[in-house]
Amino acid sequence: EPRSAWCCLAWTLVVVTMNSLVFFINLLLMFVIFTVVLLPTIVVVYFGFQCHSRVLHSAARYCRSILDDNSSSALIILGFVIMSPLIVVAMAIYCSLARRLHLFMCFQPYSRAVYKGVKWRWSEEGGLCSCVKGCNTQVKAWV
């Protein structure tokens, strides 16, 4: 049964707010995971650019005694080379965590706001804590 205009507007606001909140939680989780996993690349490239004479050429002691232009260039190249596998690892960690925590089940369809009696999406799947009760960990490639 369709909702009234004001009720539909209020439920639309609730659904949009909830979906936005879930989106920003996913975005924050992705940002934290990518930052932690890509930290070695960030550090290596930072020191490479910091000590290279044509870029920043810091006056720090390690730049004068340890890193010359050739070693700074090597650090920059190494940083960009190890970035690709680390991005794959970070994405795999994020996808695994999002799947395990059922993060995408929290997004609600717009029909929840328009029609009465539409169930929340996670209630159809057994609740948010369905994995605690007994999660089927087998992965099936077919339905």
Side-chain angles (χ1 to χ4, degrees):
E1 168 182 352
R3 297 183 190 272
S4 66
W6 288 106
C7 190
C8 181
L9 184 64
W11 275 102
T12 300
L13 185 62
V14 168
V15 169
V16 166
T17 304
M18 184 175 175
N19 285 344
S20 298
L21 182 67
V22 169
F23 172 76
F24 285 117
I25 289 172
N26 275 309
L27 198 64
L28 179 69
L29 182 66
M30 184 182 291
F31 176 75
V32 168
I33 289 172
F34 272 75
T35 302
V36 169
V37 172
L38 291 176
L39 194 60
T41 297
I42 294 167
V43 169
V44 167
V45 170
Y46 171 75
F47 282 118
F49 278 124
Q50 184 182 18
C51 295
H52 200 280
S53 66
R54 292 190 181 184
V55 184
L56 293 176
H57 195 59
S58 175
R61 188 172 61 91
Y62 56 84
C63 287
R64 285 180 281 142
S65 62
I66 299 173
L67 297 174
D68 59 353
D69 280 351
N70 291 333
S71 58
S72 295
S73 298
L75 282 179
I76 294 168
I77 292 169
L78 176 69
F80 285 114
V81 166
I82 65 173
M83 186 186 302
S84 297
L86 289 180
I87 287 175
V88 172
V89 168
M91 196 63 193
I93 290 171
Y94 169 72
C95 290
S96 173
L97 192 60
R99 182 174 180 230
R100 184 173 300 266
L101 295 176
H102 302 282
L103 292 179
F104 299 116
M105 298 297 291
C106 297
F107 287 108
Q108 295 301 314
Y110 178 69
S111 62
R112 174 79 174 116
V114 177
Y115 300 106
K116 293 180 184 178
V118 178
K119 292 183 180 181
W120 292 101
R121 183 173 285 169
W122 64 72
S123 66
E124 297 168 0
E125 299 293 327
L128 283 176
C129 300
S130 62
C131 217
V132 174
K133 297 173 187 170
C135 188
N136 185 6
T137 58
Q138 294 179 346
V139 177
K140 296 180 182 176
W142 62 90
V143 180

